[in-house]
Amino acid sequence: MERVVILGCAGTGKSTLARRLGAKTGLPVVHLDALFWEPGWQESDPAVFRQRVTEALAGGRWITDGIYNSKTFDLRLPQADLIVWIDQPLALRLWRVIWRALRHRGQTRPDMAPDCPEKVDLEFLKYIWNFDRENRPRLEAAIARLAPTTPLVRLRGDRQIARFLEGIPARR
């Protein structure tokens, strides 16, 4: 396991899993949100974002967390030797995103770009609410097209995530 793509809706625990998996394996962690967003929640230029991702993957060993399917799947999925899809219940996702915003109000998380303080707005909540209906089919189609033979692990809940991590050998 040298190149891992971690997917899932907001609030599923992608960044947390990426950090824990990175600590256990020694693989560098690439938080796509930190590469995509500019200060003040401004979207980066698509070409600049793709260049940042290309550079982050250049070492050949990595864990990426985040989706950005139309912008980066073609860069990441064909190289991945494992895809991990975290699939938490909708109510839990919404709760975690709201709780995270309240707990970190006005602060920027380490896995985000500078000057992008935690926030929740109606658009973000709609994205989470509609994720399974709108985004899941596109993600599954992209995986089938770009990485049809890459192992895909679906983790449905915190217990499965913990068991998955327990089963990963620690770095030597």
Side-chain angles (χ1 to χ4, degrees), residues 16-27:
T16 300
L17 176 59
R19 282 191 302 275
R20 289 179 178 163
L21 188 58
K24 189 162 187 181
T25 62
L27 294 171

Side-chain angles (χ1 to χ4, degrees), residues 15 19 31 33-34 104 107-114 116 118:
S15 297
R19 282 191 302 275
H31 297 290
D33 281 340
H104 298 291
Q107 300 172 2
T108 300
R109 294 189 333 257
D111 52 283
M112 288 300 301
C116 290
E118 195 65 43

Side-chain angles (χ1 to χ4, degrees), residues 50-62:
R50 283 182 62 84
Q51 183 59 38
R52 289 174 182 164
V53 173
T54 299
E55 290 170 5
L57 305 182
R61 300 176 69 244
W62 40 260

Side-chain angles (χ1 to χ4, degrees), residues 15-91:
S15 297
T16 300
L17 176 59
R19 282 191 302 275
R20 289 179 178 163
L21 188 58
K24 189 162 187 181
T25 62
L27 294 171
V29 177
V30 178
H31 297 290
L32 296 179
D33 281 340
L35 301 179
F36 178 74
W37 293 104
E38 298 290 345
W41 290 103
Q42 298 300 309
E43 292 186 13
S44 62
D45 176 84
V48 170
F49 177 51
R50 283 182 62 84
Q51 183 59 38
R52 289 174 182 164
V53 173
T54 299
E55 290 170 5
L57 305 182
R61 300 176 69 244
W62 40 260
I63 298 167
T64 63
D65 95 85
I67 297 180
Y68 298 97
N69 55 312
S70 65
K71 296 173 175 52
T72 68
F73 264 17
D74 65 315
L75 299 174
R76 298 181 295 135
L77 290 185
Q79 294 185 61
D81 50 32
L82 179 64
I83 301 168
V84 178
W85 189 322
I86 305 177
D87 201 4
Q88 301 274 22
L90 173 61

Side-chain angles (χ1 to χ4, degrees), residues 63-157:
I63 298 167
T64 63
D65 95 85
I67 297 180
Y68 298 97
N69 55 312
S70 65
K71 296 173 175 52
T72 68
F73 264 17
D74 65 315
L75 299 174
R76 298 181 295 135
L77 290 185
Q79 294 185 61
D81 50 32
L82 179 64
I83 301 168
V84 178
W85 189 322
I86 305 177
D87 201 4
Q88 301 274 22
L90 173 61
L92 181 62
R93 290 181 254 161
L94 290 167
W95 165 249
R96 284 183 172 173
V97 165
I98 292 167
W99 174 245
R100 184 173 67 193
L102 292 171
R103 192 176 74 217
H104 298 291
R105 186 180 317 189
Q107 300 172 2
T108 300
R109 294 189 333 257
D111 52 283
M112 288 300 301
D115 195 28
C116 290
E118 195 65 43
K119 68 174 186 166
V120 172
D121 57 22
L122 186 57
E123 182 180 341
F124 191 42
L125 293 173
K126 283 182 181 178
Y127 167 80
I128 296 167
W129 184 264
N130 295 318
F131 182 86
D132 292 329
R133 183 172 40 84
E134 293 179 2
N135 292 33
R136 180 182 301 275
R138 284 187 292 233
L139 299 177
E140 289 175 343
I143 291 168
R145 187 177 73 253
L146 295 168
T149 61
T150 303
L152 171 65
V153 175
R154 289 188 190 264
L155 302 175
R156 293 178 172 91

